[in-house]
Amino acid sequence: MGSSRAGRPPLQRVTRRPPVARPPRDNPVRRLLTRARRAWDRPLTAYYLILGGSLLITVLGLVMVYSASQITALQLSLPGSYFFRKQFLAATIGAGLLFLASRMPVKLHRALAYPMLAGSVFLMILVQIPGIGMAVNGNQNWISIGGPFQLQPSEFGKLALVLWGADLLARKQDKRLLTQWKHMLVPLVPVAFMLLGLIMLGGDMGTAIILTAILFGLLWVAGAPTRLFVGVLSVAVLIGVILIKTSDNRMARLTCLGSNDVEQCWQAVHGIYALASGGLFGSGLGASVEKWGQLPEAHTDFIFAVTGEELGLAGTLSVLTLFAALGYAGIRVAGRTEDPFVRYAAGGVTTWITAQAVINIGAVLGLLPIAGVPLPLFSYGGSALLPTMFAIGLLIAFAREDPAARAALAMRQPRFGRKRAGGPPGPRRRNTMRRRASAARSSGER
Protein backbone atom coordinates (compact mmCIF):
# COMPACT_ATOMS: atom_id res chain seq x y z
CA MET A 1 0.00 0.00 0.00
CA GLY A 2 1.32 3.35 -0.97
CA SER A 3 1.45 5.67 2.00
CA SER A 4 3.63 8.32 3.47
CA ARG A 5 5.94 7.78 6.37
CA ALA A 6 3.48 9.43 8.73
CA GLY A 7 0.84 6.90 7.70
CA ARG A 8 -1.20 9.45 5.81
CA PRO A 9 -2.41 8.94 2.25
CA PRO A 10 -0.44 10.87 -0.32
CA LEU A 11 -1.81 14.24 -1.41
CA GLN A 12 -3.55 14.14 -4.77
CA ARG A 13 -3.09 16.95 -7.16
CA VAL A 14 -6.25 18.93 -7.90
CA THR A 15 -6.78 19.25 -11.61
CA ARG A 16 -7.92 22.72 -12.51
CA ARG A 17 -10.69 23.01 -15.01
CA PRO A 18 -10.18 25.44 -17.87
CA PRO A 19 -12.00 28.71 -17.29
CA VAL A 20 -15.42 28.80 -18.85
CA ALA A 21 -16.05 31.82 -21.01
CA ARG A 22 -18.82 33.86 -19.50
CA PRO A 23 -21.47 35.19 -21.82
CA PRO A 24 -21.14 38.90 -22.44
CA ARG A 25 -23.26 41.08 -20.26
CA ASP A 26 -26.45 42.26 -21.90
CA ASN A 27 -26.29 45.95 -22.61
CA PRO A 28 -29.54 47.53 -21.34
CA VAL A 29 -29.35 50.27 -23.94
CA ARG A 30 -28.97 47.75 -26.73
CA ARG A 31 -31.81 45.68 -25.30
CA LEU A 32 -34.02 48.75 -25.17
CA LEU A 33 -33.17 49.67 -28.75
CA THR A 34 -33.93 46.12 -29.88
CA ARG A 35 -37.31 46.18 -28.19
CA ALA A 36 -38.08 49.59 -29.66
CA ARG A 37 -37.08 48.39 -33.14
CA ARG A 38 -39.31 45.33 -32.81
CA ALA A 39 -42.22 47.43 -31.60
CA TRP A 40 -41.65 49.92 -34.40
CA ASP A 41 -41.74 47.17 -37.02
CA ARG A 42 -45.03 45.66 -35.88
CA PRO A 43 -47.85 45.71 -38.39
CA LEU A 44 -50.12 47.85 -36.18
CA THR A 45 -47.56 50.55 -35.46
CA ALA A 46 -48.92 52.93 -38.11
CA TYR A 47 -52.49 52.23 -36.98
CA TYR A 48 -51.74 53.15 -33.38
CA LEU A 49 -49.65 56.18 -34.32
CA ILE A 50 -52.39 57.64 -36.50
CA LEU A 51 -55.20 56.93 -34.05
CA GLY A 52 -53.33 57.91 -30.89
CA GLY A 53 -51.47 60.88 -32.37
CA SER A 54 -54.54 62.47 -33.94
CA LEU A 55 -56.64 62.04 -30.80
CA LEU A 56 -53.90 63.52 -28.60
CA ILE A 57 -53.52 66.52 -30.91
CA THR A 58 -57.28 67.08 -30.94
CA VAL A 59 -57.66 66.83 -27.15
CA LEU A 60 -54.70 69.11 -26.50
CA GLY A 61 -56.09 71.49 -29.10
CA LEU A 62 -59.42 71.64 -27.27
CA VAL A 63 -57.61 72.53 -24.06
CA MET A 64 -55.60 75.27 -25.74
CA VAL A 65 -58.63 76.64 -27.60
CA TYR A 66 -60.42 77.01 -24.28
CA SER A 67 -57.42 78.76 -22.75
CA ALA A 68 -56.60 81.01 -25.73
CA SER A 69 -60.16 82.06 -26.61
CA GLN A 70 -61.52 83.15 -23.24
CA ILE A 71 -60.32 86.75 -23.45
CA THR A 72 -61.45 87.12 -27.06
CA ALA A 73 -64.89 85.83 -26.17
CA LEU A 74 -65.22 88.22 -23.23
CA GLN A 75 -64.12 91.14 -25.41
CA LEU A 76 -66.97 90.27 -27.79
CA SER A 77 -69.43 90.19 -24.86
CA LEU A 78 -69.75 86.41 -25.15
CA PRO A 79 -69.38 83.68 -22.52
CA GLY A 80 -65.81 82.66 -21.84
CA SER A 81 -66.43 79.12 -23.08
CA TYR A 82 -68.20 80.21 -26.28
CA PHE A 83 -65.47 79.22 -28.75
CA PHE A 84 -64.62 76.09 -26.78
CA ARG A 85 -68.21 74.84 -26.93
CA LYS A 86 -68.34 75.33 -30.69
CA GLN A 87 -65.01 73.57 -31.12
CA PHE A 88 -66.10 70.72 -28.84
CA LEU A 89 -69.25 70.26 -30.91
CA ALA A 90 -67.19 70.18 -34.10
CA ALA A 91 -64.77 67.69 -32.53
CA THR A 92 -67.69 65.46 -31.51
CA ILE A 93 -69.09 65.47 -35.04
CA GLY A 94 -65.58 65.01 -36.40
CA ALA A 95 -65.06 61.96 -34.18
CA GLY A 96 -68.17 60.44 -35.73
CA LEU A 97 -66.84 61.20 -39.21
CA LEU A 98 -63.47 59.71 -38.27
CA PHE A 99 -65.11 56.50 -37.06
CA LEU A 100 -67.31 56.34 -40.16
CA ALA A 101 -64.39 56.88 -42.53
CA SER A 102 -62.24 54.31 -40.70
CA ARG A 103 -64.93 51.64 -41.15
CA MET A 104 -65.81 52.39 -44.76
CA PRO A 105 -64.35 50.09 -47.43
CA VAL A 106 -61.95 51.49 -49.98
CA LYS A 107 -64.51 51.08 -52.78
CA LEU A 108 -66.93 53.38 -51.00
CA HIS A 109 -64.21 56.00 -50.52
CA ARG A 110 -63.56 55.89 -54.25
CA ALA A 111 -67.28 56.21 -54.96
CA LEU A 112 -67.38 59.43 -52.90
CA ALA A 113 -64.65 61.10 -54.95
CA TYR A 114 -66.73 62.61 -57.76
CA PRO A 115 -69.77 63.65 -55.64
CA MET A 116 -67.48 65.34 -53.13
CA LEU A 117 -65.61 67.20 -55.86
CA ALA A 118 -68.85 68.36 -57.50
CA GLY A 119 -70.27 69.46 -54.14
CA SER A 120 -67.13 71.40 -53.24
CA VAL A 121 -67.08 73.22 -56.57
CA PHE A 122 -70.77 74.07 -56.23
CA LEU A 123 -70.28 75.50 -52.73
CA MET A 124 -67.22 77.48 -53.83
CA ILE A 125 -69.29 79.06 -56.57
CA LEU A 126 -72.03 79.93 -54.07
CA VAL A 127 -69.44 81.73 -51.95
CA GLN A 128 -68.93 84.30 -54.72
CA ILE A 129 -72.65 85.09 -55.07
CA PRO A 130 -73.58 88.33 -53.24
CA GLY A 131 -75.92 87.71 -50.34
CA ILE A 132 -74.78 84.11 -49.85
CA GLY A 133 -71.04 84.37 -49.39
CA MET A 134 -69.54 86.08 -46.35
CA ALA A 135 -66.26 87.93 -45.90
CA VAL A 136 -64.12 87.20 -42.82
CA ASN A 137 -60.90 89.15 -42.31
CA GLY A 138 -61.04 90.36 -45.89
CA ASN A 139 -61.47 86.91 -47.47
CA GLN A 140 -64.73 86.01 -49.24
CA ASN A 141 -64.64 82.29 -48.49
CA TRP A 142 -67.50 81.64 -46.06
CA ILE A 143 -71.18 80.67 -46.17
CA SER A 144 -73.53 81.26 -43.25
CA ILE A 145 -75.48 78.10 -42.36
CA GLY A 146 -77.63 79.62 -39.64
CA GLY A 147 -76.96 81.32 -36.33
CA PRO A 148 -73.32 81.56 -35.29
CA PHE A 149 -72.24 78.70 -37.57
CA GLN A 150 -70.35 79.30 -40.81
CA LEU A 151 -68.95 76.99 -43.45
CA GLN A 152 -65.74 77.35 -45.45
CA PRO A 153 -66.13 75.21 -48.59
CA SER A 154 -62.45 75.50 -49.55
CA GLU A 155 -61.55 73.28 -46.57
CA PHE A 156 -63.69 70.50 -48.03
CA GLY A 157 -62.06 71.17 -51.40
CA LYS A 158 -58.80 69.81 -49.97
CA LEU A 159 -60.44 66.49 -49.13
CA ALA A 160 -62.22 66.41 -52.48
CA LEU A 161 -58.96 66.94 -54.39
CA VAL A 162 -57.26 64.12 -52.43
CA LEU A 163 -60.03 61.58 -53.09
CA TRP A 164 -60.70 62.55 -56.69
CA GLY A 165 -57.03 62.86 -57.61
CA ALA A 166 -56.18 59.50 -56.01
CA ASP A 167 -59.05 57.78 -57.82
CA LEU A 168 -58.08 59.38 -61.15
CA LEU A 169 -54.41 58.42 -60.88
CA ALA A 170 -55.27 54.89 -59.71
CA ARG A 171 -57.54 54.27 -62.70
CA LYS A 172 -54.89 55.59 -65.07
CA GLN A 173 -52.24 53.41 -63.47
CA ASP A 174 -54.46 50.35 -63.93
CA LYS A 175 -54.59 51.20 -67.64
CA ARG A 176 -50.83 51.92 -67.70
CA LEU A 177 -51.32 55.49 -68.87
CA LEU A 178 -49.16 57.30 -66.29
CA THR A 179 -46.06 56.79 -68.41
CA GLN A 180 -47.38 59.53 -70.73
CA TRP A 181 -47.02 63.06 -69.43
CA LYS A 182 -50.37 64.13 -70.91
CA HIS A 183 -52.24 61.58 -68.83
CA MET A 184 -50.18 62.52 -65.81
CA LEU A 185 -51.29 66.16 -66.03
CA VAL A 186 -54.74 66.05 -67.63
CA PRO A 187 -57.27 66.47 -66.13
CA LEU A 188 -55.62 66.54 -62.68
CA VAL A 189 -53.76 69.83 -63.05
CA PRO A 190 -56.60 71.75 -64.83
CA VAL A 191 -59.14 70.71 -62.17
CA ALA A 192 -56.72 71.65 -59.40
CA PHE A 193 -56.14 75.06 -61.00
CA MET A 194 -59.92 75.52 -61.27
CA LEU A 195 -60.21 74.96 -57.52
CA LEU A 196 -57.31 77.33 -56.94
CA GLY A 197 -59.01 79.98 -59.06
CA LEU A 198 -62.26 79.71 -57.09
CA ILE A 199 -60.33 80.02 -53.83
CA MET A 200 -58.28 83.00 -55.04
CA LEU A 201 -61.47 84.82 -56.07
CA GLY A 202 -62.07 85.14 -52.36
CA GLY A 203 -58.50 86.19 -51.66
CA ASP A 204 -57.48 83.22 -49.48
CA MET A 205 -53.94 82.54 -50.63
CA GLY A 206 -53.09 80.41 -47.59
CA THR A 207 -55.64 77.73 -48.50
CA ALA A 208 -54.49 77.95 -52.12
CA ILE A 209 -50.93 77.14 -51.02
CA ILE A 210 -52.15 74.04 -49.17
CA LEU A 211 -54.14 72.93 -52.22
CA THR A 212 -51.04 73.40 -54.37
CA ALA A 213 -49.04 71.28 -51.93
CA ILE A 214 -51.64 68.50 -52.22
CA LEU A 215 -51.38 68.63 -56.01
CA PHE A 216 -47.59 68.29 -55.90
CA GLY A 217 -47.87 65.53 -53.32
CA LEU A 218 -50.11 63.52 -55.64
CA LEU A 219 -47.75 64.07 -58.59
CA TRP A 220 -44.75 63.09 -56.48
CA VAL A 221 -46.32 59.86 -55.24
CA ALA A 222 -47.46 59.06 -58.78
CA GLY A 223 -43.84 59.21 -59.91
CA ALA A 224 -43.95 62.30 -62.09
CA PRO A 225 -40.68 62.91 -63.98
CA THR A 226 -38.43 65.59 -62.61
CA ARG A 227 -38.84 67.82 -65.66
CA LEU A 228 -42.60 67.62 -65.46
CA PHE A 229 -42.56 68.26 -61.74
CA VAL A 230 -40.24 71.27 -62.09
CA GLY A 231 -42.37 72.65 -64.95
CA VAL A 232 -45.59 72.60 -62.94
CA LEU A 233 -43.78 74.00 -59.91
CA SER A 234 -42.35 76.86 -61.98
CA VAL A 235 -45.81 77.81 -63.25
CA ALA A 236 -47.20 77.74 -59.69
CA VAL A 237 -44.33 79.87 -58.36
CA LEU A 238 -44.79 82.40 -61.18
CA ILE A 239 -48.51 82.72 -60.45
CA GLY A 240 -47.74 83.07 -56.74
CA VAL A 241 -45.22 85.85 -57.33
CA ILE A 242 -47.74 87.76 -59.47
CA LEU A 243 -50.44 87.40 -56.81
CA ILE A 244 -48.08 88.60 -54.09
CA LYS A 245 -46.79 91.56 -56.11
CA THR A 246 -50.31 92.76 -56.88
CA SER A 247 -51.46 92.76 -53.23
CA ASP A 248 -50.21 95.26 -50.64
CA ASN A 249 -51.35 93.02 -47.78
CA ARG A 250 -49.38 90.02 -49.05
CA MET A 251 -46.30 92.17 -49.71
CA ALA A 252 -46.52 93.51 -46.15
CA ARG A 253 -46.61 89.96 -44.78
CA LEU A 254 -43.58 89.05 -46.85
CA THR A 255 -41.60 92.09 -45.64
CA CYS A 256 -42.37 91.14 -42.02
CA LEU A 257 -40.32 87.98 -42.41
CA GLY A 258 -37.55 88.31 -39.81
CA SER A 259 -38.52 91.91 -38.98
CA ASN A 260 -38.66 93.39 -35.46
CA ASP A 261 -40.86 96.36 -36.39
CA VAL A 262 -43.72 96.16 -33.91
CA GLU A 263 -45.85 98.78 -35.67
CA GLN A 264 -45.72 97.17 -39.11
CA CYS A 265 -45.49 93.51 -37.99
CA TRP A 266 -47.56 93.50 -34.81
CA GLN A 267 -48.85 89.92 -35.04
CA ALA A 268 -45.54 88.34 -36.04
CA VAL A 269 -43.52 90.15 -33.36
CA HIS A 270 -45.99 89.40 -30.55
CA GLY A 271 -46.04 85.76 -31.60
CA ILE A 272 -42.27 85.67 -31.01
CA TYR A 273 -42.79 87.47 -27.68
CA ALA A 274 -45.22 84.75 -26.59
CA LEU A 275 -42.81 81.95 -27.48
CA ALA A 276 -39.85 83.71 -25.87
CA SER A 277 -41.63 84.29 -22.55
CA GLY A 278 -42.66 80.65 -22.21
CA GLY A 279 -39.29 79.30 -21.17
CA LEU A 280 -38.81 75.58 -20.66
CA PHE A 281 -42.12 74.63 -19.05
CA GLY A 282 -44.20 77.76 -19.67
CA SER A 283 -46.02 80.18 -17.44
CA GLY A 284 -48.84 77.73 -16.73
CA LEU A 285 -52.07 76.78 -18.41
CA GLY A 286 -54.30 79.85 -18.73
CA ALA A 287 -51.55 82.27 -17.65
CA SER A 288 -50.72 83.70 -21.07
CA VAL A 289 -50.20 87.46 -21.21
CA GLU A 290 -50.18 87.91 -24.99
CA LYS A 291 -53.73 86.60 -25.39
CA TRP A 292 -55.05 89.64 -23.47
CA GLY A 293 -55.52 91.61 -26.66
CA GLN A 294 -51.86 91.80 -27.70
CA LEU A 295 -51.76 88.78 -30.01
CA PRO A 296 -54.37 88.74 -32.82
CA GLU A 297 -55.98 85.39 -33.73
CA ALA A 298 -54.64 83.78 -30.58
CA HIS A 299 -57.05 80.83 -30.75
CA THR A 300 -56.83 80.25 -34.51
CA ASP A 301 -53.71 80.94 -36.58
CA PHE A 302 -51.41 81.73 -33.63
CA ILE A 303 -52.54 79.14 -31.11
CA PHE A 304 -49.08 77.56 -31.28
CA ALA A 305 -47.63 80.79 -29.84
CA VAL A 306 -50.03 80.66 -26.88
CA THR A 307 -49.09 77.00 -26.42
CA GLY A 308 -45.43 77.96 -26.23
CA GLU A 309 -46.14 80.71 -23.72
CA GLU A 310 -48.27 78.57 -21.41
CA LEU A 311 -46.68 75.13 -21.83
CA GLY A 312 -43.18 76.22 -22.76
CA LEU A 313 -40.66 74.39 -24.90
CA ALA A 314 -41.87 71.05 -23.54
CA GLY A 315 -45.40 71.69 -24.82
CA THR A 316 -44.35 72.87 -28.26
CA LEU A 317 -41.93 69.96 -28.72
CA SER A 318 -44.72 67.57 -27.74
CA VAL A 319 -46.95 69.03 -30.44
CA LEU A 320 -44.14 68.80 -33.01
CA THR A 321 -43.46 65.19 -32.02
CA LEU A 322 -47.12 64.25 -32.46
CA PHE A 323 -47.24 65.80 -35.93
CA ALA A 324 -43.97 64.10 -36.87
CA ALA A 325 -45.34 60.73 -35.75
CA LEU A 326 -48.53 61.35 -37.72
CA GLY A 327 -46.55 62.23 -40.83
CA TYR A 328 -44.31 59.19 -40.51
CA ALA A 329 -47.30 56.88 -40.09
CA GLY A 330 -48.96 58.32 -43.20
CA ILE A 331 -45.78 57.81 -45.25
CA ARG A 332 -45.52 54.26 -43.92
CA VAL A 333 -49.09 53.47 -44.94
CA ALA A 334 -48.50 54.88 -48.42
CA GLY A 335 -45.22 53.00 -48.84
CA ARG A 336 -46.38 49.55 -47.72
CA THR A 337 -49.60 49.19 -49.68
CA GLU A 338 -50.09 47.50 -53.03
CA ASP A 339 -53.34 49.36 -53.81
CA PRO A 340 -52.58 52.43 -55.97
CA PHE A 341 -55.63 54.36 -54.69
CA VAL A 342 -54.58 53.81 -51.09
CA ARG A 343 -51.03 54.90 -51.90
CA TYR A 344 -52.11 58.13 -53.64
CA ALA A 345 -54.80 59.00 -51.08
CA ALA A 346 -52.51 58.35 -48.11
CA GLY A 347 -49.77 60.41 -49.74
CA GLY A 348 -52.20 63.26 -50.44
CA VAL A 349 -53.58 63.33 -46.88
CA THR A 350 -50.09 63.18 -45.37
CA THR A 351 -48.91 66.01 -47.61
CA TRP A 352 -51.97 68.07 -46.71
CA ILE A 353 -51.61 67.76 -42.92
CA THR A 354 -47.81 68.00 -42.86
CA ALA A 355 -47.59 70.99 -45.21
CA GLN A 356 -50.30 72.89 -43.35
CA ALA A 357 -48.62 72.23 -39.99
CA VAL A 358 -45.24 73.35 -41.33
CA ILE A 359 -46.69 76.55 -42.83
CA ASN A 360 -48.58 77.45 -39.64
CA ILE A 361 -45.73 76.70 -37.24
CA GLY A 362 -43.18 78.29 -39.55
CA ALA A 363 -45.21 81.52 -39.60
CA VAL A 364 -45.45 81.57 -35.80
CA LEU A 365 -41.69 81.01 -35.48
CA GLY A 366 -41.00 83.81 -37.96
CA LEU A 367 -39.45 81.45 -40.51
CA LEU A 368 -42.25 81.78 -43.10
CA PRO A 369 -44.67 84.57 -44.03
CA ILE A 370 -48.03 84.54 -42.26
CA ALA A 371 -50.38 82.61 -44.54
CA GLY A 372 -53.48 82.60 -42.34
CA VAL A 373 -53.92 78.82 -42.21
CA PRO A 374 -54.91 77.01 -38.99
CA LEU A 375 -52.87 74.31 -37.31
CA PRO A 376 -54.56 71.00 -38.29
CA LEU A 377 -56.65 69.34 -35.56
CA PHE A 378 -55.38 71.97 -33.10
CA SER A 379 -56.62 75.45 -33.99
CA TYR A 380 -60.16 76.70 -33.60
CA GLY A 381 -62.40 76.20 -36.62
CA GLY A 382 -65.03 73.58 -37.32
CA SER A 383 -64.81 73.91 -41.10
CA ALA A 384 -61.15 72.92 -40.94
CA LEU A 385 -61.58 70.26 -38.25
CA LEU A 386 -64.35 68.20 -39.88
CA PRO A 387 -62.64 67.34 -43.22
CA THR A 388 -59.31 66.86 -41.46
CA MET A 389 -60.77 64.28 -39.06
CA PHE A 390 -62.45 62.52 -41.98
CA ALA A 391 -59.04 62.41 -43.67
CA ILE A 392 -57.53 60.92 -40.51
CA GLY A 393 -60.25 58.27 -40.67
CA LEU A 394 -59.08 57.54 -44.22
CA LEU A 395 -55.55 56.90 -42.98
CA ILE A 396 -56.86 54.64 -40.20
CA ALA A 397 -58.91 52.65 -42.72
CA PHE A 398 -55.89 52.30 -44.99
CA ALA A 399 -53.70 51.18 -42.07
CA ARG A 400 -56.29 48.52 -41.18
CA GLU A 401 -56.38 47.26 -44.78
CA ASP A 402 -52.73 46.19 -44.66
CA PRO A 403 -52.70 42.34 -44.76
CA ALA A 404 -50.33 42.03 -41.79
CA ALA A 405 -52.32 44.55 -39.76
CA ARG A 406 -55.56 42.77 -40.63
CA ALA A 407 -54.10 39.46 -39.44
CA ALA A 408 -52.83 41.07 -36.24
CA LEU A 409 -56.26 42.54 -35.49
CA ALA A 410 -57.89 39.17 -36.17
CA MET A 411 -55.54 37.48 -33.68
CA ARG A 412 -56.47 39.94 -30.94
CA GLN A 413 -60.22 39.37 -31.17
CA PRO A 414 -60.50 35.83 -29.69
CA ARG A 415 -58.54 36.90 -26.65
CA PHE A 416 -61.33 39.25 -25.50
CA GLY A 417 -64.33 38.52 -27.66
CA ARG A 418 -64.83 34.74 -27.47
CA LYS A 419 -65.64 32.59 -24.46
CA ARG A 420 -64.28 29.12 -24.07
CA ALA A 421 -66.86 26.37 -24.11
CA GLY A 422 -67.06 23.77 -21.35
CA GLY A 423 -65.58 23.75 -17.86
CA PRO A 424 -62.32 25.11 -16.55
CA PRO A 425 -59.40 24.59 -18.89
CA GLY A 426 -56.94 21.80 -18.15
CA PRO A 427 -53.18 22.01 -18.29
CA ARG A 428 -53.07 20.77 -21.86
CA ARG A 429 -55.33 23.65 -22.93
CA ARG A 430 -53.16 26.17 -21.14
CA ASN A 431 -50.03 24.88 -22.82
CA THR A 432 -51.71 25.18 -26.21
CA MET A 433 -52.65 28.80 -25.52
CA ARG A 434 -49.13 29.60 -24.39
CA ARG A 435 -47.68 28.16 -27.54
CA ARG A 436 -50.12 30.21 -29.59
CA ALA A 437 -49.26 33.38 -27.71
CA SER A 438 -45.52 32.80 -28.10
CA ALA A 439 -45.97 32.13 -31.80
CA ALA A 440 -47.92 35.37 -32.15
CA ARG A 441 -45.21 37.33 -30.38
CA SER A 442 -42.42 35.81 -32.42
CA SER A 443 -44.11 36.71 -35.68
CA GLY A 444 -44.43 40.31 -34.59
CA GLU A 445 -48.16 40.43 -35.35
CA ARG A 446 -49.89 41.99 -32.43
Side-chain angles (χ1 to χ4, degrees):
M1 296 180 61
S3 60
S4 64
R5 294 180 180 178
R8 297 178 181 176
L11 296 176
Q12 298 178 355
R13 294 182 179 180
V14 179
T15 59
R16 296 181 179 179
R17 297 179 180 179
V20 180
R22 296 181 179 180
R25 294 182 179 181
D26 191 8
N27 190 350
V29 177
R30 184 179 300 175
R31 185 172 61 234
L32 181 62
L33 291 176
T34 303
R35 289 183 178 180
R37 191 180 299 111
R38 290 177 180 175
W40 200 254
D41 291 336
R42 288 176 179 171
L44 291 178
T45 298
Y47 172 78
Y48 288 131
L49 284 178
I50 296 170
L51 180 61
S54 60
L55 291 181
L56 286 175
I57 294 173
T58 305
V59 172
L60 183 59
L62 286 173
V63 175
M64 294 311 304
V65 165
Y66 180 68
S67 175
S69 64
Q70 288 181 341
I71 306 304
T72 304
L74 294 176
Q75 290 176 344
L76 298 175
S77 301
L78 297 171
S81 61
Y82 174 78
F83 293 104
F84 168 76
R85 286 181 293 176
K86 290 182 62 177
Q87 186 73 357
F88 183 79
L89 177 61
T92 304
I93 300 174
L97 293 176
L98 185 149
F99 178 79
L100 180 64
S102 65
R103 294 295 176 175
M104 290 169 55
V106 175
K107 292 183 179 180
L108 187 54
H109 285 302
R110 299 187 69 168
L112 291 176
Y114 281 86
M116 189 170 293
L117 178 65
S120 300
V121 172
F122 176 73
L123 291 177
M124 289 183 190
I125 294 174
L126 287 182
V127 167
Q128 306 305 324
I129 298 178
I132 299 179
M134 296 180 56
V136 177
N137 295 331
N139 294 334
Q140 183 85 10
N141 284 314
W142 299 82
I143 296 177
S144 177
I145 57 177
F149 298 99
Q150 300 169 351
L151 182 68
Q152 188 176 3
S154 57
E155 293 291 341
F156 294 89
K158 302 174 186 177
L159 180 61
L161 180 60
V162 168
L163 289 177
W164 178 80
D167 178 71
L168 175 69
L169 293 174
R171 286 189 289 108
K172 288 194 173 187
Q173 180 173 337
D174 293 338
K175 298 178 181 180
R176 299 181 181 180
L177 297 175
L178 291 183
T179 55
Q180 306 176 25
W181 68 270
K182 294 181 180 179
H183 288 282
M184 180 75 73
L185 295 181
V186 181
L188 177 61
V189 175
V191 171
F193 275 79
M194 178 190 66
L195 295 175
L196 290 172
L198 291 174
I199 293 173
M200 288 308 301
L201 284 177
D204 188 2
M205 190 170 182
T207 304
I209 293 175
I210 305 301
L211 209 68
T212 306
I214 295 173
L215 171 62
F216 287 126
L218 290 172
L219 291 175
W220 183 271
V221 177
T226 305
R227 291 178 297 177
L228 184 64
F229 197 83
V230 171
V232 178
L233 181 61
S234 302
V235 174
V237 170
L238 179 62
I239 296 175
V241 169
I242 295 174
L243 292 175
I244 292 175
K245 288 287 187 179
T246 55
S247 174
D248 294 336
N249 183 29
R250 299 186 188 115
M251 283 298 299
R253 292 185 178 186
L254 189 62
T255 54
C256 285
L257 192 62
S259 174
N260 295 325
D261 189 354
V262 181
E263 295 183 359
Q264 300 295 330
C265 309
W266 180 275
Q267 188 178 22
V269 173
H270 278 274
I272 298 297
Y273 287 169
L275 290 172
S277 60
L280 187 59
F281 296 104
S283 58
L285 192 62
S288 170
V289 176
E290 291 294 332
K291 68 182 180 182
W292 286 76
Q294 300 296 325
L295 181 63
E297 307 297 334
H299 60 297
T300 55
D301 301 344
F302 271 67
I303 194 171
F304 189 76
V306 179
T307 304
E309 185 179 5
E310 295 187 351
L311 302 183
L313 181 64
T316 54
L317 288 181
S318 300
V319 175
L320 291 176
T321 302
L322 290 174
F323 275 109
L326 194 60
Y328 166 80
I331 295 174
R332 177 168 172 164
V333 170
R336 293 195 174 190
T337 183
E338 298 295 334
D339 190 338
F341 172 79
V342 172
R343 180 166 59 253
Y344 298 141
V349 171
T350 305
T351 304
W352 164 13
I353 295 177
T354 305
Q356 187 164 330
V358 168
I359 291 174
N360 178 275
I361 296 174
V364 174
L365 296 176
L367 303 176
L368 295 173
I370 299 175
V373 296
L375 189 59
L377 302 172
F378 202 84
S379 297
Y380 170 79
S383 294
L385 184 62
L386 293 181
T388 306
M389 295 193 75
F390 188 91
I392 294 295
L394 279 177
L395 290 180
I396 294 175
F398 298 157
R400 291 169 60 94
E401 287 295 323
D402 182 72
R406 193 184 309 169
L409 289 173
M411 292 180 64
R412 293 177 61 106
Q413 292 175 0
R415 193 176 300 176
F416 302 101
R418 296 180 182 175
K419 294 183 179 180
R420 299 174 184 173
R428 185 174 300 176
R429 182 65 176 173
R430 285 198 298 269
N431 291 337
T432 304
M433 293 303 295
R434 288 174 182 172
R435 286 197 296 270
R436 290 180 182 176
S438 62
R441 292 192 190 97
S442 62
S443 64
E445 296 178 353
R446 194 178 234 180

